[in-house]
Amino acid sequence: MLTYIVRRSLYGLLILIGVNLFTFVLFFTVNTPDDMARLNIGGKRVTQEQIDKWKVERGYDKPLYWNDARSGAARMTDTVFWERSVSLMALDFGRSDSRSATDIGHEIARRMVVSLQLAVPVFVLQVIASVAFALLLVFFKHSRIDFWGVVTCVLMLSISALFYIIVGQFLFSRVFRLVPISGFESGWDAVRFLALPVLLSLLSRLGGEGRLYRAMFLEEVGRDYVRTARAKGLAEPRVLLRHVLPNALIPIITSAGSYLPYVFLGSLVFESFFGIPGLGAYVIDAITGQDFAIVRSMVFVGSVLYIASYIVVDIAYTWVDPRVRLG
Amino acid sequence: MPKIVLLWSDVVVLLTAVAIAAYGWRIGRSPTQRATWARVFRDAPALCATVVLLMFFAVALLDSLHFRRALPPAPGVSQQQAYGTHTESVLDLLLARQLAGRETTYSAPLATRALVKDSIEVDGRAERVHPRLQFGGAHLHDDVAERGADIVRRAGAGMLGGLAVAAALAAAVAGAMAWRRGLRLAEAARLLLRNQTELPLRAALLTLLVLALVAGPTLVLAQDYHVFGTDRTGNDVFYQALKSIRTAFVIGTLSTLATLPFAMLFGILAGYLGGWVDEVIQYLYTTLSSVPNVLLIAACVLMMQVFIDKNPELFETGAERADVRLFLLCVILGVTGWATLCRLLRAETMKLRELDYVQAATAFGVGGARIMRRHVLPNVVHLIIITTVLDFSALVLYEAVLSYIGVGVDPAMNSFGGMINLARNEMSRDPLVWWSFAAAFGFMVALVLAANLFADAVRDAFDPRARLFRPRRILPARPQRAAG
């Protein structure tokens, strides 16, 4: 197991290098730092002096990959690539491109706490709600409940998350005045602000996941061991919970695991709609403000989380299914 | 003569239409394919969904025939024909009334007066009233008294028209059935009514009837009213919703099409050749899929935006610029989204490679390229079809989110995402402006739901192992009549 984790981590490192190279080429070779400066300063007439000043302030005035003017190792380290990209590997994100030039690493750490407060309840409740809903449909299979349950699922998954948010905000915040429309406070007050986004986030994914899990459970229900369990006289709820559920956990973990990075990255849409100052809102602000340094850092953080989540999912397989051996 | 403009995405929509027709022709010639597709259409929801999708596609197609009007020659100058700077589509011609009937601000569906009050001089005094709309119900003399009756009359006429169209279509179907099976017309109609046809035609005709009953009144009323109201700048919401259909279609089809070359080439190569090629391709798609999708797309779109801003001279009109942006967005969605299909194709190819007929072909000395083309590719087509139809609805939904984040289609282009984005502010207004939101919601759910139902049937038919176990109510068994 340990060798497996080490090997996967090393492969992950290789992938991170790839991601890093890719984003660097994307951001700096397709468009030169001059273009970025022009975009960032804005306005029609931007003088070369302004551009140069902008570049010096943010350290983009060096050569991209290879600095001939320096000697020794500095030829490599005193370049934009090294400063802006290799340092990412050490999780040193540098400063943002915008006028305020805040420290990205500090901002990410601060906002991640906020994102987690929204995402962890969503993640946990999501798995519970979807599995419970799917088990319910399987329990009532071939009945009206199952039929209309699946119809509801298909309908729900045809509706964009944006509609859930807008209708939810309208109903719960404007008509019933149960929760504030948007905003955030730390501590226990956060519950008031987070209740609605958590609920809507659950709803928006329930249809798709409920249907998917139902299919997985039905696949298991058809197996011989389930028939054996029923034959020896076990009640249906017990069959489902003790026999079917554990055996269907692998696909469920795979599906839930793919959502794991977003637990840390925050939900872009939900955070920005509800004014929760987490990582998701940070990314959206960066995109609208065309702050490339932040976007690049977040791409990197995102891929680190993806790789980590895959390793976690693999380890989780061995917990739920003793037949799985990593090696 | 107007100048015909062929935008990039037009080419795609038109080619899609041609490709679907060509594929349909091929299906007709191959018995196995015909049997599989018959399985798709035997599913009643899928057939109904097809009817709805065809309606939407027709709108998208009409909206993809673009042209620029020829300008009358200026006196004195000119030999060369000049063209308008505005690119229009055939749909714009059909909706010329909606396009021209621009009010100044919000108005509710079928309203004759604006939503917000304005100061108007009545009998020498300034009064705060809801001003009359310029176009909505402009034909009425006394809009307060006549409006209700007028709307009912027109809606009734529209319904009758719709009913007539639906009846004519049903008669045509029955006639075609009678002719093909050599039945009498009444007999064919009875089979249709009792749902004793091979395909669930009754359900499809019912869908048509519902569509006709909705579309008829809408079209009649749209002649003199704003059926879905107007938005903040007084534009007709019905027009916007119809225009958004094309954007959704282009995103849905073009993005999946853009994934195909990468996914097919890399997936089959990796699966068939194995070894270092497999390693490299796996590394490529793992790297790509390890970046969260939204971030990757956002990064690419930002870069594209800089490029477009930097080269304004490449685009003649605003429509062309918006279209290139849409086209590139689809390409980006495709380039960032090929990993999943590639992985599936790789696994399937690895399985196929070991099968006897491929081994036999290898033993005969057939080259690798030929085996991949003649033996592997046709046997993975089902995966491609399934993925393509499944992705369509997901992409339509995704467009809305991307447009909201600001990395979607050009803000000047009508799209469901853009409509939702505006609706967000409108829903918090007082008085409430709900119609743009409702229109976007209705159209989008209809489109995505139809696409989902169709995709499910396709998956069930092409890959029975991966079926989602559709719920079937077990009907009570018919009492058997005792024999003898």
Side-chain angles (χ1 to χ4, degrees):
Chain A
M1 178 110 137
L2 196 68
T3 39
Y4 175 82
I5 296 174
V6 170
R7 215 182 58 221
R8 278 297 295 261
S9 308
L10 285 178
Y11 189 59
L13 202 66
L14 206 63
I15 289 173
L16 279 182
I17 294 173
V19 170
N20 211 342
L21 262 174
F22 171 72
T23 46
F24 191 82
V25 170
L26 183 72
F27 276 94
F28 284 96
T29 316
V30 176
N31 295 293
T32 58
D34 282 35
D35 298 327
M36 279 162 47
R38 211 165 284 136
L39 200 73
N40 219 294
I41 300 167
K44 286 269 180 234
R45 289 185 212 292
V46 181
T47 60
Q48 192 59 40
E49 283 155 38
Q50 278 175 302
I51 291 174
D52 290 339
K53 183 162 161 277
W54 187 90
K55 277 162 65 184
V56 172
E57 277 171 8
R58 283 158 185 80
Y60 290 136
D61 54 331
K62 293 165 187 160
L64 281 182
Y65 300 100
W66 190 256
N67 194 345
D68 267 334
R70 304 292 295 266
S71 61
R75 284 181 176 207
M76 267 179 69
T77 56
D78 200 31
T79 55
V80 176
F81 180 66
W82 189 272
E83 285 190 351
R84 278 288 166 163
S85 170
V86 176
S87 57
L88 277 184
M89 290 292 198
L91 296 182
D92 171 17
F93 300 112
R95 298 191 166 275
S96 76
D97 283 348
S98 66
R99 220 150 280 156
S100 56
T102 47
D103 183 47
I104 300 175
H106 176 73
E107 196 78 356
I108 287 180
R110 192 172 66 80
R111 284 170 177 265
M112 192 176 251
V113 181
V114 179
S115 278
L116 283 177
Q117 290 178 44
L118 172 65
V120 170
V122 168
F123 182 72
V124 175
L125 293 175
Q126 184 77 61
V127 174
I128 295 174
S130 306
V131 167
F133 184 51
L135 277 177
L136 193 80
L137 294 184
V138 172
F139 184 75
F140 288 107
K141 64 175 180 293
H142 301 314
S143 72
R144 264 154 211 262
I145 296 182
D146 183 31
F147 180 82
W148 288 108
V150 175
V151 171
T152 316
C153 279
V154 177
L155 199 66
M156 279 175 82
L157 74 96
S158 304
I159 298 173
S160 167
L162 300 175
F163 287 120
Y164 286 103
I165 298 176
I166 295 177
V167 173
Q169 269 188 336
F170 177 74
L171 277 184
F172 292 102
S173 305
R174 261 199 78 189
V175 180
F176 300 136
R177 299 194 181 277
L178 289 176
V179 285
I181 284 189
S182 67
F184 189 73
E185 270 176 48
S186 52
W188 283 108
D189 282 337
V191 176
R192 249 170 0 109
F193 290 95
L194 292 177
L196 189 59
V198 169
L199 177 78
L200 294 176
S201 181
L202 287 183
L203 272 181
S204 69
R205 279 160 47 95
L206 189 64
E209 296 213 325
R211 194 173 72 136
L212 185 70
Y213 293 169
R214 172 183 167 276
M216 289 167 185
F217 288 136
L218 280 179
E219 185 93 47
E220 271 321 295
V221 163
R223 299 255 161 108
D224 284 343
Y225 73 90
V226 178
R227 207 173 44 188
T228 312
R230 286 203 192 112
K232 70 182 185 187
L234 285 187
E236 188 68 15
R238 202 174 158 80
V239 172
L240 287 180
L241 288 176
R242 292 296 297 274
H243 293 266
V244 174
L245 179 59
N247 281 297
L249 272 180
I250 288 229
I252 291 176
I253 287 179
T254 315
S255 156
S258 68
Y259 186 69
L260 214 52
Y262 290 101
V263 172
F264 298 94
L265 276 183
S267 162
L268 298 182
V269 181
F270 279 90
E271 284 187 6
S272 93
F273 253 99
F274 287 96
I276 297 166
L279 284 177
Y282 190 48
V283 176
I284 292 201
D285 290 347
I287 291 170
T288 43
Q290 298 185 316
D291 194 320
F292 299 98
I294 297 177
V295 176
R296 212 169 48 240
S297 307
M298 291 302 292
V299 165
F300 185 78
V301 173
S303 39
V304 171
L305 292 172
Y306 252 77
I307 291 160
S309 80
Y310 273 112
I311 298 177
V312 170
V313 165
D314 277 352
I315 295 171
Y317 286 161
T318 61
W319 291 339
V320 300
D321 194 340
R323 287 171 299 185
V324 176
R325 268 170 221 281
L326 303 176
Chain B
M1 257 314 267
K3 178 182 178 184
I4 292 174
V5 179
L6 210 55
L7 300 176
W8 283 86
S9 53
D10 294 344
V11 177
V12 176
V13 175
L14 297 177
L15 278 181
T16 313
V18 172
I20 291 174
Y23 185 58
W25 184 70
R26 268 199 63 178
I27 293 169
R29 286 165 39 109
S30 144
T32 46
Q33 296 245 16
R34 209 164 53 209
T36 317
W37 279 102
R39 245 194 336 261
V40 174
F41 292 117
R42 263 204 291 277
D43 184 54
L47 192 64
C48 300
T50 313
V51 173
V52 177
L53 283 178
L54 282 177
M55 280 268 290
F56 277 118
F57 188 63
V59 175
L61 205 57
L62 284 179
D63 201 10
S64 298
L65 306 169
H66 282 103
F67 62 90
R68 277 160 70 185
R69 278 174 203 270
L71 294 179
V77 222
S78 174
Q79 298 67 44
Q80 216 181 358
Q81 176 69 51
Y83 296 100
T85 52
H86 192 61
T87 309
E88 291 171 277
S89 73
V90 174
L91 188 73
D92 289 335
L93 280 187
L94 295 177
L95 296 171
R97 248 167 210 283
Q98 277 68 31
L99 199 55
R102 205 175 135 184
E103 312 290 348
T104 45
T105 176
Y106 288 119
S107 69
L110 300 174
T112 53
R113 289 170 182 258
L115 181 77
V116 275
K117 287 187 177 172
D118 203 1
S119 299
I120 284 181
E121 201 167 305
V122 183
D123 303 333
R125 284 176 299 129
E127 260 186 52
R128 299 281 296 167
V129 290
H130 298 282
R132 232 358 243 279
L133 293 180
Q134 255 180 299
F135 298 91
H139 61 291
L140 303 173
H141 295 294
D142 179 5
D143 63 304
V144 180
E146 294 173 22
R147 177 171 159 263
D150 188 58
I151 289 174
V152 171
R153 197 168 45 78
R154 282 165 185 260
M159 276 193 165
L160 282 181
L163 204 62
V165 171
L169 276 169
V173 170
M177 220 171 88
W179 180 68
R180 269 190 67 172
R181 296 222 214 145
L183 302 167
R184 278 183 300 122
L185 192 63
E187 184 70 17
R190 192 171 315 128
L191 287 180
L192 261 182
L193 277 179
R194 287 191 186 156
N195 204 18
Q196 287 167 336
T197 47
E198 194 193 353
L199 297 178
L201 290 175
R202 186 179 67 175
L205 286 174
L206 276 176
T207 314
L208 264 176
L209 178 70
V210 172
L211 283 177
L213 286 183
V214 174
T218 311
L219 290 179
V220 173
L221 285 168
Q223 299 306 314
D224 285 299
Y225 290 96
H226 300 290
V227 188
F228 293 156
T230 55
D231 72 353
R232 191 177 37 160
T233 44
N235 292 308
D236 192 89
V237 173
F238 180 53
Y239 172 80
Q240 291 174 355
L242 285 182
K243 290 288 276 185
S244 301
I245 293 173
R246 174 177 181 272
T247 315
F249 253 98
V250 171
I251 296 242
T253 43
L254 179 51
S255 303
T256 31
L257 286 183
T259 61
L260 291 186
F262 292 99
M264 278 161 62
L265 183 71
F266 287 158
I268 293 177
L269 275 181
Y272 187 78
L273 295 179
W276 67 267
V277 179
D278 188 22
E279 296 282 339
V280 170
I281 291 173
Q282 274 197 66
Y283 176 72
L284 268 182
Y285 71 61
T286 319
T287 306
L288 209 58
S289 58
S290 79
V291 183
N293 224 325
V294 181
L295 288 179
L296 189 59
I297 292 164
C300 293
V301 171
L302 279 183
M303 291 303 105
M304 169 187 89
Q305 194 53 45
V306 177
F307 174 79
I308 290 178
D309 289 348
K310 211 167 62 176
N311 302 295
E313 72 282 355
L314 290 177
F315 317 105
E316 268 187 64
T317 59
E320 277 174 48
R321 198 177 57 241
D323 185 75
V324 166
R325 186 164 165 181
L326 176 67
F327 186 81
L328 287 176
L329 175 69
C330 294
V331 172
I332 289 170
L333 281 170
V335 171
T336 55
W338 55 271
T340 324
L341 180 58
C342 181
R343 197 174 290 156
L344 282 175
L345 289 179
R346 170 177 167 269
E348 189 73 11
T349 309
M350 283 167 82
K351 200 182 83 193
L352 289 173
R353 190 180 58 180
E354 303 304 326
L355 292 186
D356 289 343
Y357 64 89
V358 177
Q359 300 285 330
T362 320
F364 279 131
V366 180
R370 204 175 150 82
I371 289 181
M372 280 184 255
R373 208 176 60 238
R374 295 294 298 273
H375 296 294
V376 177
L377 184 59
N379 287 301
V380 295
V381 167
H382 69 282
L383 285 177
I384 297 172
I385 292 176
I386 293 171
T387 316
T388 316
V389 292
L390 277 181
D391 281 356
F392 179 83
S393 58
L395 282 162
V396 174
L397 292 179
Y398 207 42
E399 182 272 328
V401 172
L402 289 178
S403 292
Y404 169 73
I405 298 175
V407 293
V409 299
D410 196 276
M413 190 172 232
N414 286 303
S415 77
F416 291 126
M419 286 176 79
I420 299 172
N421 208 352
L422 289 176
R424 187 193 169 190
N425 300 323
E426 291 173 351
M427 290 291 281
S428 55
R429 265 181 61 99
D430 199 38
L432 179 68
V433 175
W434 50 269
W435 40 89
S436 323
F437 178 74
F441 178 82
F443 274 77
M444 208 170 155
V445 170
L447 176 61
V448 175
L449 187 61
N452 273 337
L453 291 174
F454 183 72
D456 280 354
V458 167
R459 175 164 48 184
D460 282 358
F462 278 82
D463 191 5
R465 279 167 308 158
R467 70 189 186 279
L468 273 169
F469 298 98
R470 290 165 162 249
R472 304 250 183 258
R473 258 181 288 173
I474 294 182
L475 298 169
R478 283 206 184 144
Q480 299 270 321
R481 196 172 286 178

